[in-house]
Amino acid sequence: MAVDEENVDFRKIAQKWRKKWASEKVLQVEADNRKKYYIAIVYPYMSGLLHLGHLFTYTNSEILARYKRMRGFNVLVKFGFHCTGTPIVAAAQRVKEKEPTQLETLRKMGISEKDLPKFSDPEYWCEYFPKETLIDLKKMGFAIDERYTFRTTFLNPPYDAMVRWQFNKLKEKGYVKKGKHPVVWCPKDNLPVGDHDRSEGEGETPKDFIWVKFRMKNSDLILMAGTTRPDALLGQTNLWIDPKAEYSIVEVGKEKWVVGNDAIKKIEQQYAKPKLVGKLKAAELMGKWARGPLVDYDLYILPASFIDAKVGSGIVYSALEDPVDLVELQRLQTNPDTLRKYGLDTGVVSKLKPISIISIPEMGDDLGQEMINKYGIKSAKDKEKLEEAKGELNRAVFRKGVMKKNCGKYAGMTSPAAQAAIKKDLHEAREIAMFYELTGKVVCRCLTECVVKIVEDQWFIEYNDPEWKKLAHKCLGKMQIHPEILRKQFEYVIDWLDHWACTREYGLGTKLPWDQKWVIESLSDSTIQMAYGTISKYLQNPSDYGFSTHKLNDEFFDYVYLGRGDPAKVEKSTGIQRKLVEKMRSDFEYWYPFDFRNSAKDLLQNHLTFCLFNHAAIFQEKHWPRTFLINGRIMVNNQKMSKSKGNFFTMRELYTKHGPDIVRLTAAMAGEGADDANYDMKFHEVAKRKLSELHSFIIENYNKGRTETSPVDEWFESKVNSAIKKTTEAMEGLMFKSAIQYSLSDMARYLKIYLRRTGNKPNKRVISLFCQSLIKMLTPIVPHFSEEVWEAIGEKGLISSSQWPTYEEEKIDKEAEAAEQLVTDILSDFSKVLELAKIEKPKEVMLLVAPKWKYELVSILKEELKKTRDQRALINTCLTEKDLKPHGEDVAKIVQGALKDPSKLPETTITREKEIEAYESAKAEIEKEYRAKVSIDDAEKSKEPKARQAMPGKPAIIVK
RNA sequence: GCGAGCGUGCCGAAGUGGUCGAACGGAACCGGCUAAGGACCGGUUGUGGCGAGGUCACCAACCCAGGUUCGAAUCCUGGCGCUCGCACCA
């Protein structure tokens, strides 16, 4: 095969066929009476051009779309451009401030110096990038009907109207509620600070923190002690304060709280306006008594070295099952001087001891002491060991702890359950105040240290509603999830999702219909937009259909999506002709639900699960989603793609350089399943070479060749048919990389063998079948290339609109394939023999085929081995056969061997005649390769001692 | 820390209880073709055997350690390592 690298210009043919498809409108879609297949692509965020990550995910949808078209489906691919949210606004702001990295990013995407200032306006981003993205999609040859494309936010009034409808629906069902919400807050910017806006503290979040009220004896003062373990209140023994600190008395509502000085700010930010009414030295508190909730005794107030008044509320209560508390107490008990220094009563302190409230299997009654012993802790100075011990104990409590009998109504509960119950009870009794504490220090990009702020009037989608969760589970249960192993994760996420803050104070999007101060957040406005994609053709191009979309209302969507109401009334309120309203309804009914949605695995936990919830809430069951395909993340040359590593590629760079088909093929080969895929830059060249070769081969050989047939033709035809079968199954199973392997790689390999065995003289019918089938199976992956080849071999019409090849089960000939395998085996055995015998130039080669009775024996033995492994019985059964009797001794030997290692028996038994035929047909090739005379004989008639070893499928080989 | 997934030859990757020294692709090496070749063709790529004219035997082997089984890359338990997510970020 002569290879001419330049024989295919992948960029040129892409342009040619793109124009052809456009002029013949092959990618335009209308609802009709065919089976439909609706692919809802996850729309990309419009803060830049599409990159390799998008390419990889979209390639899956694209291959499937074209495959389904060839299977006779009417395929709609929905494509949108996501503009909702804050990143575009933030990026525009950075352009305005002329931030160098932001400007550089835009320059790299090909934006000229003079156009840069335009990007300081967020709305310009929403104009520019959708337009450019659509160009990219077309140039990649994606099977998208551009009339259906749309962008999000108020910039697109009909989309805006649909999101309002969605939220009204959710609210009607009681799934949207107002509530308080803690956020990480920058006091200088007066804005929430997300992970990406921090100079320090990525991953830190607000964590629940409970302040428990301890009322001082003979006083109206209340000591506030912070904790994350309210269950430990059942074993409270004393209070700890910082002996060096000064405390404040603040009025909160009608109460007077005692807290560390630094806690006042927290009260103000998270609770209520406090009023400072006094100060207290630690000494004034020590030795006093206070009483906490859940117990009927007073606690003694003691100093502790580990307390820092700046942390939490500045006061902690002690539960001596905790090793930290226990060590601290032991320190006091063994240092009477310290007690005397603070004027404390040694009698009281010496009587303090742990109260056992939690039982953990395999642990005793004194958990604190047990941990101290285990970690070999000697004093309070072993801080690291103490922290570890405490951590281990907390984990054990959380996982295995059960409340003991002395815990009143909480007895018998698991510790986490008791924590929740106690928290709830005390909250209702107003014995605690709820606070949040950051899990670590967070510093805003503006270098201000962040705090927790409670947003008072945040709107939430109540994904924690148990009934709703049930519906979501039901929806999932009816779906196909690929790969199936990820279903468990969906199950988990559905249960885990809590309420979701669905509104923002700023950013692009749709205003919450009943509270215009808020903008609907971007993950929440995209959960049912696949429904919009079924009718977007009309709504995005209203003038083509003679109406205006500015009066879209809930009535309209109620009718189109849910079939409720009266189209005549809809006409009246929207001004859209009744006929068109009805057409949109029927289009929706035709296309919906979506059959397929594909994303990378990072959207599983939010977007895809939200999609389930919202469909379950809003749509009829018949309109619930059908299939999710989740892919891994894309790596470039086995490295994570990132701008800083310099391996960040836009889709545009790639197709401009290599042409779209090469990029599509490389992306499809990058991987499948949930594991990370690898986009291999070297593969571009491999792909070009392979396709070029295929191109010349098909053109040179299609519809040419001999007309007489040979056994190898049967074999090859069988291989072609099984390749079609395997490829089709892979496509149906959404395994696109496998599909390429079964078609492109496997078939090329078989072709090589076939050409060799036929001396480059293929059979005309079979080779044409091969060419047609292969080029068709490649069409979904490399459509431009396929069209080009299709045209070059003189076929009429577009291959994109042709039918997927079918295979004939009866043409898949196991015997022919097994026979070919025998020849391959013989050839490899040959070279071994030659090597070992050190014969370089054999003169004569004899293949001695086993006698007929051995074939009989093998077939009986294979059957019998399934029933028994008893040697005697096997031999006896075999010897009942008349033809085998005379060979008793040999039979016994063979049976023994087979028992020891069943793999010695040939896998597929073909008849002796077929086997000989296979060798005969390979004879010429062997003679040519070894330049030796080849003869095929009956082993039984041979005098060679080796002849006895011949077995079915394993002839004795004699080389001289 | 929690949840889900993964861990196979030089690399990527198939393989879910015997037919597995392990498909397929890449890479490397040897040989052939050739003026030359990054192209093509054939072969090799765990270790050992002064067994051997192949279709063989033996040892070891699919992250590590145990276990279940007549039998495990495949099932179970524990450990180690990696990936994704963990909420206002799309």
Side-chain angles (χ1 to χ4, degrees):
Chain A
M1 232 184 298
V3 176
D4 178 2
E5 289 263 353
E6 301 302 315
N7 70 348
V8 185
D9 183 336
F10 290 97
R11 286 172 292 192
K12 210 164 141 192
I13 60 170
Q15 199 179 359
K16 168 177 164 189
W17 293 102
R18 189 170 71 240
K19 281 186 184 151
K20 183 92 172 168
W21 293 334
S23 71
E24 301 204 1
K25 299 187 173 168
V26 276
L27 299 178
Q28 291 204 0
V29 186
E30 303 294 338
D32 57 27
N33 52 14
R34 284 179 293 165
K35 292 171 293 180
K36 65 92 185 180
Y37 200 83
Y38 179 27
I39 295 176
I41 291 187
V42 172
Y43 45 37
Y45 191 71
M46 288 291 108
S47 56
L49 294 174
L50 299 186
H51 54 68
L52 203 44
H54 297 114
L55 166 70
F56 179 57
T57 301
Y58 296 162
T59 300
N60 289 322
S61 294
E62 163 64 9
I63 291 174
L64 185 66
R66 285 185 177 267
Y67 167 73
K68 287 287 179 185
R69 282 171 53 95
M70 293 177 78
R71 293 305 300 261
F73 286 86
N74 190 13
V75 179
L76 171 62
V77 181
K78 182 229 75 164
F79 205 98
F81 309 103
H82 203 195
C83 304
T84 313
T86 53
I88 287 177
V89 180
Q93 180 62 29
R94 288 197 290 274
V95 173
K96 205 171 188 175
E97 291 163 4
K98 298 206 170 6
E99 195 209 74
T101 46
Q102 181 65 60
L103 294 178
E104 194 49 36
T105 305
L106 289 173
R107 282 190 200 105
K108 275 202 179 135
M109 288 188 291
I111 287 148
S112 69
E113 227 38 55
K114 122 179 123 47
D115 286 340
L116 278 178
K118 294 183 188 164
F119 288 86
S120 53
D121 175 8
E123 291 192 18
Y124 188 71
W125 292 63
C126 308
E127 296 293 332
Y128 181 82
F129 284 112
K131 206 174 67 206
E132 294 299 313
T133 299
L134 185 59
I135 290 172
D136 282 348
L137 294 171
K138 284 197 216 164
K139 288 198 173 175
M140 279 298 293
F142 284 161
I144 287 163
D145 181 344
E146 64 176 285
R147 297 171 305 166
Y148 278 90
T149 59
F150 60 90
R151 58 180 176 163
T152 67
T153 76
F154 65 89
L155 296 168
N156 183 2
Y159 186 87
D160 203 39
M162 190 234 15
V163 175
R164 283 197 299 274
W165 174 81
Q166 176 194 351
F167 271 76
N168 284 331
K169 280 280 154 301
L170 290 176
K171 185 137 191 284
E172 277 170 30
K173 310 232 174 207
Y175 292 148
V176 188
K177 284 183 183 155
K178 199 184 232 181
K180 290 184 187 175
H181 184 58
V183 290
V184 180
W185 187 265
C186 172
K188 184 170 165 233
D189 294 347
N190 263 324
L191 283 174
V193 180
D195 258 353
H196 305 295
D197 299 321
R198 299 176 189 176
S199 75
E200 192 183 322
E202 194 174 328
E204 307 294 353
T205 52
K207 200 185 165 218
D208 264 26
F209 209 71
I210 299 164
W211 289 13
V212 185
K213 296 178 182 173
F214 289 84
R215 294 166 200 281
M216 260 177 82
K217 205 171 178 181
N218 305 323
S219 159
D220 59 350
L221 296 183
I222 299 173
L223 275 67
M224 302 299 285
T227 184
T228 52
R229 287 264 321 264
D231 53 326
L233 281 168
L234 293 162
Q236 55 183 288
T237 52
N238 59 284
L239 284 164
W240 296 121
I241 61 169
D242 177 358
K244 299 177 294 292
E246 187 183 59
Y247 285 85
S248 299
I249 303 170
V250 291
E251 260 182 31
V252 180
K254 286 173 188 162
E255 294 175 336
K256 282 185 186 158
W257 291 5
V258 177
V259 293
N261 290 344
D262 290 56
I264 299 175
K265 252 194 317 205
K266 290 174 200 160
I267 299 172
E268 180 165 2
Q269 277 153 357
Q270 299 188 30
Y271 200 78
K273 184 103 184 130
K275 185 177 159 201
L276 182 68
V277 294
K279 293 274 184 187
L280 278 173
K281 291 245 157 49
E284 297 175 70
L285 290 167
M286 275 186 274
K288 299 263 170 37
W289 294 85
R291 181 173 292 199
L294 302 182
V295 296
D296 55 0
Y297 51 85
D298 293 327
L299 304 188
Y300 202 48
I301 302 176
L302 291 170
S305 59
F306 65 87
I307 299 276
D308 182 350
K310 294 193 180 82
V311 176
S313 64
I315 302 172
V316 171
Y317 73 88
S318 166
L320 296 175
E321 283 199 315
D322 180 323
V324 175
D325 290 339
L326 186 54
V327 165
E328 188 66 19
L329 177 71
Q330 286 165 352
R331 196 172 68 103
L332 287 181
Q333 286 173 335
T334 52
N335 284 291
D337 291 351
T338 315
L339 293 178
R340 248 172 264 131
K341 190 174 112 193
Y342 294 119
L344 295 168
D345 185 338
T346 48
V348 172
V349 174
S350 65
K351 277 187 215 144
L352 289 176
K353 58 172 197 247
I355 301 168
S356 176
I357 52 162
I358 293 172
S359 72
I360 295 173
E362 289 157 38
M363 286 188 80
D365 286 337
D366 196 346
L367 301 175
Q369 191 60 49
E370 201 169 325
M371 294 315 291
I372 289 170
N373 296 344
K374 184 173 173 185
Y375 279 80
I377 294 162
K378 301 215 169 54
S379 78
K381 284 176 188 154
D382 291 342
K383 280 191 180 156
E384 274 180 27
K385 281 188 189 168
L386 267 173
E387 279 308 310
E388 274 177 48
K390 183 176 179 152
E392 185 183 325
L393 183 60
N394 277 341
R395 281 193 292 280
V397 166
F398 190 80
R399 283 206 274 259
K400 302 174 203 158
V402 175
M403 306 313 287
K404 287 189 171 173
K405 280 183 190 148
N406 58 350
C407 294
K409 64 183 281 203
Y410 308 107
M413 287 186 180
T414 63
S415 297
Q419 283 178 18
I422 291 171
K423 190 165 143 184
K424 184 166 171 274
D425 291 347
L426 294 184
H427 190 63
E428 280 166 9
R430 300 181 160 275
E431 285 301 313
I432 56 173
M434 304 293 287
F435 278 84
Y436 291 91
E437 198 76 25
L438 279 170
T439 49
K441 188 177 178 185
V442 175
V443 178
C444 177
R445 198 139 59 180
C446 76
L447 300 180
T448 311
E449 185 164 349
C450 296
V451 296
V452 178
K453 183 186 159 149
I454 308 289
V455 178
E456 293 289 339
D457 51 355
Q458 175 66 263
W459 289 94
F460 292 94
I461 301 182
E462 300 285 322
Y463 291 125
N464 51 5
D465 183 295
E467 288 306 309
W468 198 5
K469 281 190 194 293
K470 259 190 219 163
L471 277 182
H473 277 296
K474 187 176 176 195
C475 179
L476 177 68
K478 299 175 81 172
M479 285 186 72
Q480 281 191 47
I481 302 293
H482 291 269
E484 177 62 31
I485 45 168
L486 291 179
R487 185 182 295 277
K488 257 204 272 180
Q489 178 136 359
F490 272 107
E491 300 280 5
Y492 174 81
V493 172
I494 289 174
D495 288 331
W496 166 81
L497 269 182
D498 202 346
H499 58 194
W500 178 264
C502 62
T503 51
R504 296 288 178 272
E505 292 184 64
Y506 77 115
L508 299 172
T510 296
K511 287 192 168 156
L512 196 66
W514 61 86
D515 190 352
Q516 300 272 320
K517 149 183 176 192
W518 292 102
V519 177
I520 292 163
E521 163 275 340
S522 70
L523 281 168
S524 300
D525 86 340
S526 54
T527 58
I528 61 157
Q529 40 83 15
M530 313 85 198
Y532 185 82
T534 62
I535 52 170
S536 49
K537 180 172 69 177
Y538 306 100
L539 301 178
Q540 295 308 127
N541 311 286
S543 53
D544 292 354
Y545 299 93
F547 69 97
S548 150
T549 57
H550 284 88
K551 281 191 262 168
L552 288 189
N553 52 22
D554 284 7
E555 205 178 4
F556 170 83
F557 289 105
D558 274 343
Y559 179 73
V560 174
Y561 287 164
L562 304 176
R564 290 187 199 150
D566 177 357
K569 282 186 185 160
V570 174
E571 174 170 353
K572 220 174 204 176
S573 63
T574 61
I576 305 172
Q577 285 176 22
R578 177 182 171 155
K579 257 194 193 158
L580 261 170
V581 175
E582 281 169 346
K583 172 69 178 146
M584 284 190 252
R585 167 69 183 158
S586 74
D587 270 24
F588 171 77
E589 284 267 46
Y590 175 74
W591 292 113
Y592 226 57
F594 63 89
D595 297 276
F596 179 83
R597 187 164 183 79
N598 173 209
S599 97
K601 58 184 168 187
D602 47 1
L603 290 187
L604 190 158
Q605 282 82 350
N606 43 61
H607 170 76
L608 292 179
T609 308
F610 290 179
C611 173
L612 289 183
F613 268 99
N614 283 272
H615 275 81
I618 293 172
F619 289 104
Q620 294 166 286
E621 213 169 305
K622 65 175 178 179
H623 289 148
W624 290 358
R626 295 264 167 83
T627 307
F628 283 155
L629 170 67
I630 291 98
N631 57 259
R633 316 263 300 177
I634 192 82
M635 315 265 274
V636 184
N637 296 337
N638 280 316
Q639 287 213 309
K640 264 191 196 177
M641 181 171 73
S642 78
K643 283 178 186 162
S644 58
K645 277 191 185 136
N647 62 353
F648 181 89
F649 295 95
T650 61
M651 197 167 82
R652 182 172 289 187
E653 292 171 73
L654 293 170
Y655 73 70
T656 308
K657 185 162 175 201
H658 302 286
D661 282 347
I662 298 302
V663 173
R664 293 167 64 115
L665 181 55
T666 309
M669 281 298 282
E672 63 193 0
D675 287 343
D676 288 349
N678 182 36
Y679 191 94
D680 185 354
M681 289 293 169
K682 290 195 302 289
F683 191 80
H684 287 137
E685 300 312 316
V686 177
K688 280 177 203 168
R689 205 183 71 221
K690 286 195 176 189
L691 291 183
S692 296
E693 274 171 30
L694 187 64
H695 181 262
S696 2
F697 178 82
I698 292 182
I699 287 169
E700 280 166 29
N701 291 277
Y702 185 70
N703 228 359
K704 288 177 199 153
R706 62 190 154 80
T707 46
E708 64 275 24
T709 60
S710 84
V712 199
D713 298 339
E714 263 171 61
W715 168 78
F716 190 53
E717 191 171 4
S718 167
K719 279 296 181 192
V720 170
N721 275 283
S722 52
I724 297 173
K725 184 179 179 186
K726 286 177 88 174
T727 307
T728 307
E729 283 165 0
M731 283 289 193
E732 291 293 332
L734 310 176
M735 305 289 273
F736 305 120
K737 180 178 178 177
S738 299
I740 295 172
Q741 269 170 10
Y742 298 144
S743 51
L744 189 60
S745 309
D746 282 359
M747 282 178 85
R749 205 170 58 250
Y750 302 140
L751 176 66
K752 263 188 206 167
I753 298 170
Y754 178 63
L755 291 177
R756 196 166 69 226
R757 303 267 280 104
T758 54
N760 269 324
K761 290 195 184 67
N763 172 279
K764 181 175 166 181
R765 186 184 60 81
V766 177
I767 201 69
S768 300
L769 172 75
F770 165 86
C771 294
Q772 271 217 16
S773 312
L774 181 54
I775 199 65
K776 281 188 171 185
M777 289 194 284
L778 291 178
T779 304
I781 298 141
V782 288
H784 312 91
F785 172 81
S786 297
E787 293 286 7
E788 184 69 16
V789 176
W790 194 244
E791 184 188 56
I793 60 176
E795 289 293 335
K796 297 273 173 320
L798 291 164
I799 196 168
S800 296
S801 307
S802 73
Q803 287 296 304
W804 182 258
T806 51
Y807 58 91
E808 294 172 59
E809 194 73 58
E810 60 272 23
K811 285 281 165 66
I812 298 176
D813 183 342
K814 289 287 171 219
E815 283 208 335
E817 295 192 12
E820 176 57 32
Q821 189 58 45
L822 285 180
V823 172
T824 314
D825 291 349
I826 290 295
L827 286 172
S828 94
D829 284 349
F830 253 135
S831 28
K832 273 189 190 162
V833 172
L834 290 177
E835 192 187 323
L836 289 166
K838 304 205 167 60
I839 299 173
E840 283 193 14
K841 284 185 182 152
K843 294 188 196 86
E844 194 186 349
V845 176
M846 275 186 271
L847 290 177
L848 302 177
V849 180
K852 202 161 175 70
W853 64 266
K854 284 192 181 172
Y855 287 81
E856 234 172 276
L857 173 60
V858 165
S859 76
I860 295 171
L861 204 46
K862 283 196 91 166
E863 275 311 302
E864 293 301 316
L865 267 176
K866 288 177 192 160
K867 299 175 198 158
T868 176
R869 294 183 69 87
D870 177 353
Q871 191 172 317
R872 279 184 77 97
L874 282 170
I875 294 173
N876 287 337
T877 318
C878 290
L879 288 182
T880 52
E881 200 63 38
K882 222 196 292 170
D883 297 342
L884 296 183
K885 264 212 165 138
H887 306 282
E889 198 182 326
D890 289 324
V891 168
K893 258 190 195 163
I894 292 168
V895 170
Q896 266 176 32
L899 267 174
K900 205 171 160 200
D901 180 4
S903 68
K904 278 189 182 164
L905 296 178
E907 216 176 299
T908 317
T909 19
I910 65 170
T911 63
R912 190 162 184 266
E913 289 67 36
K914 281 268 181 191
E915 190 177 331
I916 293 172
E917 193 183 291
Y919 299 147
E920 289 289 353
S921 76
K923 196 170 159 181
E925 194 193 337
I926 303 171
E927 288 189 332
K928 192 179 145 205
E929 190 161 333
Y930 294 98
R931 295 181 190 117
K933 192 172 169 291
V934 174
S935 61
I936 297 156
D937 284 310
D938 187 338
E940 219 160 31
K941 290 175 191 152
S942 169
K943 291 182 189 108
E944 294 286 341
K946 279 248 155 201
R948 287 191 67 188
Q949 287 183 16
M951 283 290 285
K954 289 286 178 192
I957 301 169
I958 313 290
V959 183
K960 285 184 174 164

